[in-house]
Amino acid sequence: MKKYLFGLFLLLPLWSTVGAKVSDKMNYSFKSDSRGVKQPIGSRLFDSQKEKSSTDFSITNLTQEKNHFEIPEIRPSDKVIYHSGYSLLYNETHEQSNWIAYELTDEETIKQFNRTNKFLVDPDVSTHSANDEDYKGSGYDRGHLAPASDMGWSENTMKESFYYSNMSPQKPSFNRGIWKKLEEKVRSWAVENKKIYIVTGPILTIGLSKIGRDHVSVPKYFYKVIIDYTAPSIKGIAFVMPNESSKKSLQSFAVTIDSVEHITGINFFPTMQDTAIENTLCISCWSWGSKAKAKSKNGAKLNVSVQCSGITKKGARCKRKTTNPSGKCFSHQHVN
């Protein structure tokens, strides 16, 4: 028995090495099922989620108590941090957040305060968040998860948007390119739909490269999940993007919310009753043309182009775009 145990002890390091090499080869890609819905291939959960015992997994009533519809399902041991403009669940292993969640209204897109560009350690992360030294000389941007432009509605929210708990290492060409383009599009949807809910973050897995003394993980992919939960046009959409430059359309990165749940192990919007929203990808439900810009400080909208809210004779929503303040095109302006 002692010889057997000794042999097993010698094999453990070898098994760990082989397992790590296999896991490193796993990539995220998507294929369309029979309904044309994109589904993930080779997906994996957050390693922090996998480390939890299944007996720990139960929904708490924290989401209901705080009345935060956007908060994903959490475990009793999870410590959700609530800032003025967003909430987060910090992952100490990877020195960044598993997710950032917030509500964004059309009024909150009104820019009242400019970027501070003053990056700060998050004082509410008890284990201490990443810092300047971790990113210095790394070649990576301190990429916002909740963009600063979504937080310009108060001085405090703008300040908090520069906490390192809201940062993740992003390649400059990604952060300033396709990721920024997606942020702008989501902001325009907040204007069009009056209020949306957003959950965004990195896809954190075992074996990621690290930067800095605190060993901040460099994600290979990022996700963003959006819900418009205002009747009658309730809808949802999600995106998974590689941490690299891209000239592809935003639509090419769109996936179902279920797909992102499968990859990350996160249950988004646990209090939402209509599960069809999460397992259906409706590209046409969202506008992709001229973006609706935020309001100015005096409340006037600037060059807003939105889908007409009028109903056609067949009972479907009008597909025309309009800049009319009524939200209706020329054919429906005088129709009740």
Side-chain angles (χ1 to χ4, degrees):
M1 176 60 75
K2 290 182 179 179
K3 291 182 178 180
Y4 172 79
L5 291 175
F6 180 72
L8 181 60
F9 178 78
L10 292 176
L11 285 173
L12 284 175
L14 177 62
W15 172 250
S16 299
T17 303
V18 173
K21 289 182 178 179
V22 172
S23 65
D24 286 344
K25 293 180 179 180
M26 294 189 69
N27 295 314
Y28 297 104
S29 58
F30 293 84
K31 68 177 181 180
S32 297
D33 60 17
S34 58
R35 299 173 298 164
V37 176
K38 293 181 180 178
Q39 299 293 349
I41 306 171
S43 60
R44 297 176 57 193
L45 306 180
F46 276 110
D47 62 277
S48 62
Q49 298 279 356
K50 292 176 73 177
E51 290 168 1
K52 302 278 188 179
S53 167
S54 59
T55 58
D56 291 337
F57 194 79
S58 61
I59 302 176
T60 71
N61 60 2
L62 184 57
T63 300
Q64 289 76 15
E65 288 177 356
K66 293 288 185 179
N67 197 28
H68 284 286
F69 172 78
E70 70 275 12
I71 301 295
E73 184 176 296
I74 56 178
R75 297 179 172 89
S77 58
D78 289 336
K79 181 184 178 182
V80 176
I81 296 174
Y82 295 91
H83 290 313
S84 301
Y86 63 91
S87 304
L88 66 95
L89 180 63
Y90 198 74
N91 187 319
E92 178 62 24
T93 300
H94 295 279
E95 289 294 357
Q96 58 200 282
S97 294
N98 280 344
W99 50 257
I100 298 282
Y102 60 104
E103 174 192 81
L104 185 64
T105 67
D106 60 337
E107 294 295 328
E108 288 170 342
T109 65
I110 302 174
K111 187 177 180 181
Q112 301 285 355
F113 295 88
N114 294 321
R115 290 172 59 103
T116 63
N117 290 321
K118 185 178 180 180
F119 295 85
L120 301 166
V121 171
D122 190 334
D124 291 339
V125 176
S126 60
T127 54
H128 303 293
S129 63
N131 55 58
D132 291 337
E133 293 301 315
D134 289 315
Y135 285 82
K136 187 176 180 180
S138 68
Y140 290 95
D141 279 0
R142 294 166 289 191
H144 281 72
L145 297 175
S149 294
D150 288 2
M151 300 293 155
W153 47 275
S154 85
E155 184 176 12
N156 194 50
T157 54
M158 178 59 77
K159 173 187 174 181
E160 292 175 341
S161 75
F162 281 88
Y163 284 165
Y164 272 101
S165 57
N166 188 38
M167 303 299 147
S168 186
Q170 294 182 340
K171 292 182 179 179
S173 58
F174 171 73
N175 180 38
R176 308 169 199 181
I178 191 70
W179 188 246
K180 180 180 179 181
K181 186 177 180 181
L182 177 59
E183 291 173 340
E184 292 172 343
K185 176 54 62 181
V186 172
R187 199 152 43 249
S188 76
W189 288 340
V191 175
E192 294 175 20
N193 298 287
K194 305 303 179 184
K195 178 173 65 177
I196 57 176
Y197 298 94
I198 304 161
V199 187
T200 185
I203 295 180
L204 302 173
T205 59
I206 298 171
L208 294 173
S209 60
K210 309 281 185 177
I211 61 170
R213 185 167 57 183
D214 290 318
H215 305 291
V216 181
S217 297
V218 180
K220 294 180 180 179
Y221 294 86
F222 289 87
Y223 70 87
K224 200 176 288 287
V225 176
I226 304 101
I227 286 281
D228 168 21
Y229 207 53
T230 304
S233 57
I234 297 176
K235 55 188 178 289
I237 195 169
F239 298 85
V240 174
M241 293 181 163
N243 188 6
E244 59 188 31
S245 174
S246 178
K247 294 184 178 180
K248 294 181 180 179
S249 67
L250 292 176
Q251 293 94 316
S252 66
F253 297 102
V255 296
T256 64
I257 295 174
D258 269 352
S259 296
V260 184
E261 290 183 333
H262 184 60
I263 291 172
T264 63
I266 299 174
N267 181 17
F268 300 105
F269 311 108
T271 61
M272 185 170 63
Q273 301 300 316
D274 190 354
T275 57
I277 296 175
E278 295 189 337
N279 57 38
T280 303
L281 177 61
C282 181
I283 297 289
S284 62
C285 292
W286 301 86
S287 64
W288 301 95
S290 301
K291 63 182 180 182
K293 296 183 179 179
K295 298 176 183 177
S296 63
K297 290 185 179 181
N298 61 14
K301 289 187 177 181
L302 307 174
N303 301 324
V304 177
S305 177
V306 299
Q307 183 179 354
C308 174
S309 60
I311 305 299
T312 66
K313 293 180 180 180
K314 294 183 178 180
R317 184 178 178 181
C318 177
K319 294 184 178 180
R320 292 191 182 96
K321 296 290 183 181
T322 181
T323 57
N324 192 288
S326 68
K328 295 183 178 181
C329 70
F330 64 91
S331 296
H332 293 101
Q333 284 181 25
H334 305 292
V335 179
N336 293 326

